[in-house]
Amino acid sequence: MHSAFAQTEDDNVTKVQVTGSRLTSPNAVSPSPLQILTSADIAASGATNLQELLLKNPTLGAPSISRTNSNFQTASVGVATIDLRNLGTSRTLVLVNGRRFVAGVPGESAVDMNTIPTDFIERVELLTGGASAAYGSDAVAGVVNIILKRNFNGVLVDASLGQSDYHDDSKKKLAVTFGTTSADGSSNIMGHFGYSKQGAVYSRNRPGTDVDNQSLGTLTGDPADIFTPETPFYSGIAPQGRFLYGSGKTAGDFTYDRAGNIIPWSTNGSATQAATGYNRNALRTIAVPTERFLFATNGNHAFDENHSAFFEGTYASTKVTSRIEPFGLQSKDIFPTAGAVPVGSMVNGVLVRNPLVPQYLYDRATDTNGDGIPDYTFSRRLSEVGTRGNTAERDTFRLATGLKGTIKDWNYEAFVSYGKTKEAQNSTGQVNVMSFRNALLAIPDGKGGAMCADPIARLQGCVPVNLFGFNSISPEALKYVTAPGSLITSTTQKVAGGNLSGELFQLPAGKVGLSGGVEWRQEESSSVADPLTQAGLNAGNAAPPTYGKFNVKEAYLETLVPLLKDKFLAKQLDFRAAYRVGDYSTVGHTNSWNTGLEWAPTSDVKFRATRSISTRAPNINELYSPASQTFPPGISDPCKGVTATSTTEFSAGCRADPNVLANIQANGVFTQTQSDLQGISGYDRGNPNLKAEQGRSTTVGVVLTPRSIPMLSKFTFTADYFDIKISDAIVSTPRQYSLSQCYGGGNPELCKFITRRTATGGGNNIGTLSYIDSAVSNSGGLGTEGIDLTASWADMVGPGRLTAKMQYTYVKEGYVIPLKGEDKDPFAGEVGAAKNKANLNLAYKWGSFGISSTTTYIGRSSLDDQFLAQLDLPANSLKVGSRTYQDFQLTFDVKKQVQLYLGIDNAFDTSAPPILSGLPGNSTGTNTDAGTYDAIGRRYYAGLRVTM
């Protein structure tokens, strides 16, 4: 990558348009910080997906969704998103050729980078800072503008193969780009076909992730143990089942060994007993397999020298498969009131024993719920049902077409575009809880077997289910209770717009430029799961249907006023301003503006500054999403360790909860079982009363092109200060924050988001966390402040040419304000948002040989301060070390039209830091934050490029 360069010798004859402006001008330097990724940079990376390369740029934060952190996602497995400044993907606007692209996540605005063909890209321009005045909503953090190749002639073929050190993460890629121009030069058409397939990486195939583990510090409370894994830390829900009976002094539990014998339960084993728990990591995935077919085309036809038509088309088909362990069913999923399963059924007023219930359990069961029938509770991993997972097939289609030209020195463009993303998802591993309830209530069939107690259920095909022991569920019962799931999503975008730009009149320093236009846009999205999933009756996450749409009408103006030129200490002084007004069907009137100043005291130095107000209207999910279930990681209960007499910050607030107090009284100290730690759920919900948020952005920078200094004449330097503050931010109340505020006394109103268990049972203790909900509102704030530095240099060194490019970002401050009036919750410097990040690209070309290297640096980071507060530790007190990743590529030109290349990513096999299960930022199954750090390891690839 490199920064935008200063004026070139051809600027007096060639006008260009840079990202962030609708005006064409002879000056290619943006008034806002702008970095450029070229097609050569893409080729030198060997990247299959544009996200892989963009994430190396220090202005990008950790993605919310990628191949390595989405295995547990329900509607967006394998999607590739980007996030400028760690302000959220919804605040980063992705454009293709300066126009909006349809979203890849239903109900969101985030574009899926899987749909962009990397080999068809001419360059990518990254503009950081508010740009809503130029492009409308969503550009609060900045813009990523992907410019596709144009006027290409000939055929370019690029094919490659690759894999990791562990012989997984296989990669296959074939890309063919072709184009032709008519004999008279008036028409050009291009096409691109791409195919890529990236294989899975399983947790079991990496040391440290092959066995379920947990941060020891989350168990002991000792900060010294935070980065030490407690291994094994198996799931308390196992395929042979765990069965609990009685209460008080009569309480007990048991399980089975492989031979079908009843044995005591011991989750992680002991010196005298083997572990009876379950290793979930044996089936989890670090990177999901992804297969893509891409087709892109564009063309133009000139009617005459002043008027032409253009079109752009894209079609992407992506298939992604997630895989996780079989579902862990608990009796409370079937009998939600108390989780008590009767050992028999009342028939004509007489208790008839379920013949599938073993004598051992029947003799010990007591009536715990007062219905007169002895009962038990259970948990069981449904291994017979099979692994859970989703196979998602996404299709993205987009077509844009329009007219452009010149009328009396004024440039015009009018266009329409239509985009649609569809996803069809099939899921496995769930059961119908209503059928399962019928199957659990069995009576003798009079033939030495069992039948379902409910006669209506029998007529409907009910088959009794046997839970006791390994592989005890019969194929017939399995067929009756299994409930395959489905999810159908659709996202549609329609855009129409027109722009007119030109020059008004002459000033002593040059002509005043003006651009104006109008735009209309409609977004629509739906997400509909199968009926059982919608109702939460498949024992998994409840996912009600989501549907919403909105439209917006906008108008904008932009001007460029040259103030001084070729004066003393004023080689150039320009003023820019832009204003946009919008009318949303959801939030009503919005406006945004931008002002900028560019001052070049000499040809070698240029200063730039901008001040902007940007707006972001809420997306469809934020407005209309019903309560959707999730299982949030990294939650620490502030009541952990509280006793009847403790005086910690949270003690009084915890004891005020009667269920927490009952836990303390029963155990002497607030106690969580392993199931309690692994079973925290919650619901996320939208808010139809949201309004638009507003971002204030300030940038001040300098561009140095010291051409007059011989030793530095080949250098270009830029330094930019940025400050972005977002008010009325649309935020989801952080769950850990809600816990801290509820029990620390700061804001007991947040206790409404927290549900604790009201009874002990099924391996769970009374008073432990069951649900922690979160809802979106305009109650927050966001902000970030820092400095970007770039440098580039290219010249002959020895027999070849050396090119060097460097980017460095220092984030002074980054924060979230969860609620109005509350203190800032800093995120800068925390895992996923390092304060210091850098990237260095070096390339040397000597005749037919070439070598390039990319060095990516992620600075030291600390654990989330809200999490640390639960351990009575100050912010930034527990840190993970910095990481540096090194990639290389070698090229050899066999002849002018044929090039071989070999590459190695993460050449020194740098390991990811131990962000263990139970810690904030952990990506399940990876033992790290797999969106930030490389969880795969060293990888190799080889390829061939042929030009015809």
Side-chain angles (χ1 to χ4, degrees):
M1 291 187 180
H2 57 81
S3 62
F5 291 97
Q7 186 170 329
T8 68
E9 295 176 0
D10 294 329
D11 284 342
N12 60 335
V13 295
T14 302
K15 291 186 177 183
V16 297
Q17 179 176 309
V18 296
T19 300
S21 173
R22 300 279 184 173
L23 289 164
T24 57
S25 76
N27 184 351
V29 175
S30 168
S32 297
L34 182 69
Q35 296 185 30
I36 298 176
L37 175 74
T38 68
S39 57
D41 296 325
I42 297 171
S45 72
T48 302
N49 187 306
L50 183 60
Q51 183 199 52
E52 300 171 21
L53 185 55
L54 288 176
L55 291 181
K56 299 179 187 296
N57 185 279
T59 64
L60 272 295
S64 59
I65 314 175
S66 69
R67 278 184 71 225
T68 53
N69 69 1
S70 62
N71 189 41
F72 279 76
Q73 297 274 359
T74 54
S76 49
V77 175
V79 169
T81 63
I82 53 176
D83 179 0
L84 279 168
R85 304 292 188 204
N86 272 304
L87 294 177
T89 56
S90 59
R91 298 179 182 91
T92 298
L93 179 60
V94 175
L95 307 173
V96 174
N97 291 336
R99 288 178 282 272
R100 287 178 178 265
F101 199 87
V102 63
V105 181
E108 305 284 342
S109 59
V111 172
D112 183 3
M113 294 293 109
N114 284 309
T115 63
I116 309 297
T118 53
D119 294 87
F120 204 48
I121 296 173
E122 180 64 32
R123 67 184 186 277
V124 181
E125 299 178 348
L126 291 85
L127 180 139
T128 58
S132 289
Y135 299 112
S137 185
D138 308 325
V140 177
V143 172
V144 176
N145 190 9
I146 301 165
I147 310 298
L148 302 180
K149 295 180 185 292
R150 298 176 183 175
N151 299 318
F152 179 83
N153 287 283
V155 178
L156 173 63
V157 179
D158 190 336
S160 64
L161 296 170
Q163 67 176 22
S164 77
D165 255 359
Y166 289 85
H167 306 293
D168 55 16
D169 195 42
S170 60
K171 179 172 72 172
K172 301 175 182 178
K173 187 188 83 166
L174 172 65
V176 181
T177 302
F178 49 90
T180 184
T181 300
S182 62
D184 61 1
S186 63
S187 301
N188 176 268
I189 187 168
M190 293 178 54
H192 173 85
F193 170 78
Y195 170 78
S196 66
K197 186 174 184 179
Q198 294 171 278
V201 178
Y202 292 107
S203 303
R204 62 175 179 264
N205 293 331
R206 292 293 184 277
T209 62
D210 54 337
V211 176
D212 250 338
N213 59 57
Q214 176 88 2
S215 162
L216 180 60
T218 62
L219 306 175
T220 65
D222 186 347
D225 297 334
I226 283 294
F227 299 115
T228 300
E230 172 69 5
T231 304
F233 196 74
Y234 292 136
S235 167
I237 304 178
Q240 73 275 20
R242 180 187 182 185
F243 306 94
L244 302 95
Y245 54 82
S247 62
K249 293 182 179 180
T250 66
D253 67 349
F254 67 92
T255 187
Y256 290 85
D257 64 15
R258 286 283 178 180
N261 301 309
I262 291 176
I263 60 172
W265 176 267
S266 179
T267 304
N268 298 314
S270 66
T272 59
Q273 184 179 348
T276 57
Y278 179 76
N279 180 20
R280 297 170 297 178
N281 275 12
L283 292 172
R284 287 175 171 173
T285 305
I286 291 175
V288 297
T290 305
E291 186 175 28
R292 302 185 303 161
F293 291 89
L294 300 171
F295 177 74
T297 182
N298 63 44
N300 60 80
H301 173 71
F303 301 110
D304 54 39
E305 62 180 9
N306 293 321
H307 307 283
S308 63
F310 65 89
F311 76 91
E312 303 165 2
T314 302
Y315 172 74
S317 177
T318 306
K319 183 178 180 179
V320 183
T321 303
S322 67
R323 185 184 182 191
I324 59 178
E325 66 277 2
F327 184 73
L329 184 71
Q330 299 184 70
S331 54
K332 65 181 181 180
D333 297 323
I334 310 300
F335 298 88
T337 302
V341 185
V343 297
S345 301
M346 300 300 293
V347 179
N348 298 322
V350 179
L351 176 62
V352 178
R353 173 187 167 187
N354 182 341
L356 298 177
V357 172
Q359 190 69 44
Y360 182 91
L361 175 58
Y362 189 82
D363 292 342
R364 290 163 175 75
T366 60
D367 178 14
T368 63
N369 62 358
D371 66 355
I373 304 176
D375 53 59
Y376 66 97
T377 60
F378 74 85
S379 64
R380 192 182 191 280
R381 186 73 55 181
L382 299 178
S383 57
E384 296 93 337
V385 178
T387 57
R388 285 175 292 164
N390 303 319
T391 297
E393 296 187 359
R394 298 188 190 93
D395 294 292
T396 298
F397 168 79
R398 177 180 178 266
L399 178 65
T401 185
L403 301 171
K404 60 182 178 180
T406 303
I407 301 176
K408 294 184 177 179
D409 297 328
W410 283 79
N411 300 318
Y412 73 88
E413 180 179 305
F415 76 96
V416 294
S417 71
Y418 174 87
K420 190 177 187 70
T421 298
K422 298 190 298 181
E423 177 179 341
Q425 178 177 294
N426 296 310
S427 58
T428 59
Q430 303 296 142
V431 294
N432 183 326
V433 297
M434 296 180 291
S435 297
F436 216 102
R437 179 188 177 98
N438 291 331
L440 281 175
L441 304 178
I443 58 175
D445 63 1
K447 302 175 183 178
M451 64 181 182
C452 297
D454 187 334
I456 297 177
R458 291 200 299 269
L459 291 173
Q460 294 172 338
C462 181
V463 178
V465 64
N466 182 359
L467 297 177
F468 302 95
F470 287 97
N471 300 314
S472 59
I473 301 178
S474 69
E476 295 78 14
L478 188 63
K479 182 178 179 180
Y480 175 67
V481 300
T482 299
S486 66
L487 177 68
I488 303 296
T489 73
S490 175
T491 303
T492 304
Q493 180 188 77
K494 302 174 183 177
V495 186
N499 177 265
L500 188 66
S501 64
E503 295 169 335
L504 291 174
F505 50 83
Q506 182 75 36
L507 292 177
K511 292 182 178 181
V512 175
L514 181 70
S515 175
V518 295
E519 193 169 283
W520 172 87
R521 175 166 55 98
Q522 182 184 83
E523 305 271 358
E524 184 174 1
S525 176
S526 66
S527 181
V528 181
D530 62 272
L532 287 179
T533 302
Q534 291 182 36
L537 295 177
N538 67 350
N541 296 15
T546 301
Y547 172 78
K549 66 187 296 185
F550 68 86
N551 64 73
V552 56
K553 299 181 286 289
E554 295 178 292
Y556 58 87
L557 284 172
E558 181 182 0
T559 186
L560 169 63
V561 182
L563 302 177
L564 294 172
K565 185 176 182 180
D566 296 329
K567 303 294 184 183
F568 177 68
L569 291 182
K571 181 71 175 178
Q572 174 192 341
L573 179 62
D574 292 341
F575 171 78
R576 292 177 179 265
Y579 181 80
R580 177 181 286 252
V581 61
D583 183 20
Y584 283 81
S585 61
T586 50
V587 298
H589 179 79
T590 64
N591 62 77
S592 54
W593 55 262
N594 175 283
T595 60
L597 197 66
E598 301 166 80
W599 170 45
T602 71
S603 299
D604 294 352
V605 181
K606 176 169 285 194
F607 296 96
R608 56 192 182 188
T610 65
R611 174 68 172 170
S612 63
I613 295 291
S614 295
T615 59
R616 184 180 80 87
N619 61 42
I620 290 171
N621 279 352
E622 290 168 333
L623 287 166
Y624 304 118
S625 178
S628 300
Q629 193 174 11
T630 185
F631 289 85
I635 298 295
S636 176
D637 193 334
C639 297
K640 175 181 171 59
V642 171
T643 67
T645 58
S646 61
T647 57
T648 64
E649 176 186 359
F650 305 106
S651 292
C654 288
R655 287 192 293 264
D657 187 305
N659 296 306
V660 173
L661 183 60
N663 183 305
I664 296 170
Q665 292 171 339
N667 300 292
V669 59
F670 182 79
T671 302
Q672 300 163 283
T673 68
Q674 195 159 322
S675 295
D676 293 329
L677 293 170
Q678 295 172 335
I680 300 172
S681 184
Y683 287 84
D684 295 323
R685 55 178 58 88
N687 180 355
N689 298 316
L690 292 174
K691 60 182 181 180
E693 61 184 26
Q694 189 176 80
R696 291 174 171 81
S697 175
T698 300
T699 66
V700 179
V702 60
V703 180
L704 302 178
T705 53
R707 303 295 183 255
S708 60
I709 304 174
M711 292 184 61
L712 301 176
S713 62
K714 305 296 183 180
F715 278 96
T716 296
F717 303 93
T718 71
D720 291 282
Y721 163 82
F722 60 88
D723 183 12
I724 304 173
K725 291 182 173 65
I726 303 171
S727 59
D728 294 324
I730 301 168
V731 297
S732 295
T733 306
R735 288 177 164 84
Q736 197 67 57
Y737 180 84
S738 295
L739 286 166
S740 299
Q741 293 296 303
C742 171
Y743 298 105
N747 191 343
E749 174 69 14
L750 293 179
C751 294
K752 67 184 180 183
F753 289 126
I754 300 164
T755 302
R756 291 184 176 272
R757 294 183 175 91
T758 58
T760 294
N764 298 113
N765 279 345
I766 187 173
T768 53
L769 292 169
S770 180
Y771 298 99
I772 308 175
D773 297 341
S774 183
V776 294
S777 65
N778 286 103
S779 57
L782 282 166
T784 186
E785 178 186 8
I787 295 174
D788 292 327
L789 301 176
T790 76
S792 60
W793 178 86
D795 202 358
M796 296 298 295
V797 175
R801 181 175 179 82
L802 177 64
T803 302
K805 306 171 187 177
M806 184 277 295
Q807 305 92 33
Y808 165 73
T809 294
Y810 167 71
V811 181
K812 178 183 177 184
E813 182 181 41
Y815 62 85
V816 177
I817 300 175
L819 293 171
K820 288 184 177 179
E822 299 292 342
D823 294 334
K824 295 177 180 178
D825 179 11
F827 65 74
E830 294 181 347
V831 170
K835 285 194 170 186
N836 294 280
K837 295 177 68 177
N839 180 260
L840 174 65
N841 291 292
L842 298 173
Y844 189 75
K845 182 69 173 176
W846 175 26
S848 297
F849 293 91
I851 182 170
S852 62
S853 73
T854 301
T855 306
T856 306
Y857 172 80
I858 303 172
R860 294 183 70 197
S861 307
S862 65
L863 296 184
D864 174 64
D865 64 318
Q866 297 293 326
F867 173 84
L868 295 177
Q870 312 306 316
L871 302 175
D872 293 324
L873 294 174
N876 303 313
S877 56
L878 289 178
K879 293 181 177 293
V880 299
S882 63
R883 290 295 187 273
T884 301
Y885 298 103
Q886 190 72 55
D887 306 333
F888 294 101
Q889 187 183 93
L890 297 172
T891 63
F892 174 68
D893 298 332
V894 180
K895 51 185 179 180
K896 187 175 181 180
Q897 292 83 18
V898 179
Q899 184 183 75
L900 294 172
Y901 60 92
L902 300 171
I904 179 169
D905 294 336
N906 194 356
F908 303 119
D909 202 24
T910 301
S911 61
I915 314 298
L916 304 171
S917 180
L919 300 182
N922 169 265
S923 301
T924 305
T926 70
N927 277 1
T928 193
D929 177 355
T932 301
Y933 303 101
D934 182 359
I936 298 175
R938 186 187 292 118
R939 303 178 294 284
Y940 309 88
Y941 62 90
L944 176 71
R945 298 186 184 100
V946 179
T947 304
M948 295 177 278

